[in-house]
Amino acid sequence: MVTSAPPSLPLPSEWPLGESPLDITPAGWRPTPFHDFVVKLHSRCDLACDYCYMYELADRSWRGRTAFMPDEVVDLATRRIAEHARDHRLSTIRVILHGGEPLLAPPATLQRVVSTLRAALSSGTAAQFTVQTNGTRLTEQRLRLLSAAGLRVGVSVDGGRVANDRHRRHLGGRSSFPAVDRALRLLREQPDLFAGILSVIDLRNDPVETYETLLAYQPPALDFLLPHGNWSEPPPGRPPDASTRYGEWLVAVFDRWYDAPRRETRLRLFEEIVVGVLGGHSRSEQIGLSPVGVIVIDVDGSLEQVDTLRSAYEGAPATGLTVADHPLDAALRHPAVIARQIGAKALAPACLDCSVHPVCGGGYYPHRYRKGSGFRNPSVYCADLRYLIDHIAGRVQADVARVMRQRA
């Protein structure tokens, strides 16, 4: 059992649970190895999205970071990932090249990450590589280079031109949509390279229209993301009562997705809730109680927790570890990482009293934050999640009951 944090680690300015996670770690608990590795190749961006957790919310540490990841850090990062995969005998890992905007990095840097890591991995570990981009720099030539390097491409876009340009514009206000639309059309013609779409919800956008606009690009997967916020800095359009406006928005999309005569795309949030309703375990950190297995390697080689913690407070994702000085296993012993791996033990009492907490898992970890009490709170989206989960459970359970009657 992990019993103590390495003494060199600085403690976060607010304990994740309002107390040491080490005090409530279950007997016999073992950490879950990291299997998703987010490698930040560039710390700057060519868009000025007004909701961006990197540049617009609580943590502004990017200002003190180098703009891009040097080759020596790339080599150290890939060595640490391969070491972690070997030590834990991982059969599959996922590597997500991220930023800022990762396509601001030279193509040779992206190719170096893939080639050096493939060379370092043991024969028993397969690696899946994805680059997550805003799409504005994705051309036919760049796509050929990414394909040759073995990279699939995920794109962030919030809908059609009006929906997307509410938030996702260039510095100075110029629309980003024409370039993103071009990128998505290119990917639609090369489905083997298309990893999917990430889209942030804006309540002003019609839910079904937004879904169908994105669906027209034929993404293999689509994720709708709740805007980052917490109890101290509420998300937009989220009043301090039990409003379910985001839940209602998502229910409208769910019904359109669920009622389709065939599966048109994967929608991870809904799929994970369905799995949870049927008694299974989640594979996403946004929902459910499964241990989080993600580690971020920043441009300077710093090891960080999930990057969206930047929305909580300055320094929230920091661990005090680097690839130069520490194996990735050291991050598994960090109290804040432990807090995100011990499941129900880390939940607020109000969550444990709720019947859907095995499905909800307390909601996405950054959305639980409240200044002064850390993360041991329900999600700021608690009412929305309950509304959505109850709706999905009702539909799925009714369908299961009907199938069982037909088989009887």
Side-chain angles (χ1 to χ4, degrees):
M1 181 178 68
V2 175
T3 57
S4 62
S8 61
L9 296 187
L11 299 181
S13 58
E14 295 198 38
W15 275 110
L17 307 177
E19 62 182 321
S20 170
L22 303 173
D23 295 336
I24 58 173
T25 302
W29 176 82
R30 293 288 186 275
T32 297
F34 301 118
H35 47 73
D36 286 1
F37 306 90
V38 178
V39 181
K40 311 269 283 189
L41 295 183
H42 209 285
S43 66
R44 305 297 191 265
C45 191
D46 51 358
L47 294 187
C49 305
D50 59 15
Y51 54 49
C52 181
Y53 60 81
M54 274 288 294
Y55 309 112
E56 300 296 334
L57 300 184
D59 183 278
R60 301 298 178 92
S61 59
W62 63 271
R63 291 173 172 167
R65 302 279 168 90
T66 182
F68 59 91
M69 181 176 281
D71 286 347
E72 57 268 26
V73 176
V74 170
D75 293 344
L76 283 167
T78 55
R79 188 186 312 161
R80 292 298 190 188
I81 293 171
E83 173 185 76
H84 191 78
R86 182 188 65 246
D87 290 349
H88 294 279
R89 299 180 180 178
L90 302 180
S91 59
T92 303
I93 62 172
R94 295 195 304 173
V95 180
I96 302 96
L97 306 187
H98 214 284
E101 170 48 50
L103 295 188
L104 287 171
T109 300
L110 282 73
Q111 294 167 332
R112 186 183 185 95
V113 173
V114 177
S115 61
T116 56
L117 183 52
R118 286 198 190 281
L121 287 171
S122 66
S123 59
T125 301
Q128 302 171 359
F129 293 90
T130 303
V131 58
Q132 185 64 37
T133 174
N134 61 37
T136 60
R137 293 174 174 266
L138 196 63
T139 62
E140 289 188 47
Q141 180 182 11
R142 183 65 64 91
L143 200 55
R144 284 196 295 271
L145 291 172
L146 296 175
S147 175
L151 281 156
R152 300 178 73 220
V153 182
V155 177
S156 299
V157 59
D158 290 348
R161 182 166 192 146
V162 172
N164 186 72
D165 287 350
R166 291 191 193 280
H167 303 284
R168 303 184 63 81
R169 290 179 174 269
H170 289 278
L171 285 168
R174 180 166 55 92
S175 171
S176 69
F177 183 74
V180 181
D181 176 63
R182 180 196 64 219
L184 289 166
R185 291 174 185 272
L186 287 172
L187 285 166
R188 184 173 59 191
E189 299 306 314
Q190 301 188 61
D192 290 347
L193 303 182
F194 200 178
I197 289 175
L198 297 182
S199 182
V200 177
I201 297 169
D202 187 309
L203 294 172
R204 293 170 292 181
N205 301 333
D206 179 86
V208 174
E209 179 184 340
T210 301
Y211 172 69
E212 292 181 341
T213 297
L214 298 175
L215 189 63
Y217 294 112
Q218 300 175 19
L222 172 58
D223 271 349
F224 283 113
L225 308 177
L226 293 163
H228 294 305
N230 52 64
W231 293 105
S232 297
E233 295 290 339
R238 187 68 178 86
D241 57 19
S243 167
T244 58
R245 294 176 67 197
Y246 283 95
E248 292 163 19
W249 199 99
L250 284 164
V251 159
V253 178
F254 174 82
D255 285 342
R256 165 63 181 82
W257 173 78
Y258 190 72
D259 289 335
R262 58 179 178 80
R263 189 172 78 168
E264 298 165 313
T265 187
R266 295 189 57 213
L267 224 160
R268 184 172 61 168
L269 176 62
F270 298 158
E271 291 180 347
E272 295 295 344
I273 292 175
V274 169
V275 168
V277 164
L278 295 175
H281 298 288
S282 71
R283 297 161 296 175
S284 166
E285 64 176 316
Q286 298 201 37
I287 205 86
L289 292 171
S290 296
V292 172
V294 182
I295 188 71
V296 177
I297 304 176
D298 212 334
V299 289
D300 61 355
S302 298
L303 296 178
E304 296 191 337
Q305 305 168 64
V306 61
D307 220 25
T308 49
L309 280 168
R310 296 179 187 278
S311 63
Y313 59 89
E314 184 75 31
T319 66
L321 304 167
T322 71
V323 291
D325 299 320
H326 305 92
L328 300 190
D329 272 16
L332 292 176
R333 300 195 297 274
H334 193 284
V337 174
I338 292 172
R340 294 170 54 238
Q341 288 208 349
I342 56 177
K345 281 283 188 178
L347 296 185
C351 291
L352 293 174
D353 290 340
C354 176
S355 61
V356 303
H357 83 264
V359 180
C360 170
Y364 192 38
Y365 196 76
H367 298 166
R368 306 179 204 174
Y369 177 72
R370 188 191 296 269
K371 186 174 177 59
S373 63
F375 295 87
R376 204 169 200 183
N377 304 289
S379 168
V380 72
Y381 290 107
C382 177
D384 300 283
L385 292 171
R386 180 64 192 258
Y387 183 89
L388 175 63
I389 291 168
D390 284 347
H391 179 83
I392 292 176
R395 295 218 54 189
V396 170
Q397 289 165 358
D399 285 347
V400 170
R402 185 180 67 254
V403 170
M404 296 301 291
R405 287 195 301 270
Q406 292 170 349
R407 290 182 176 179

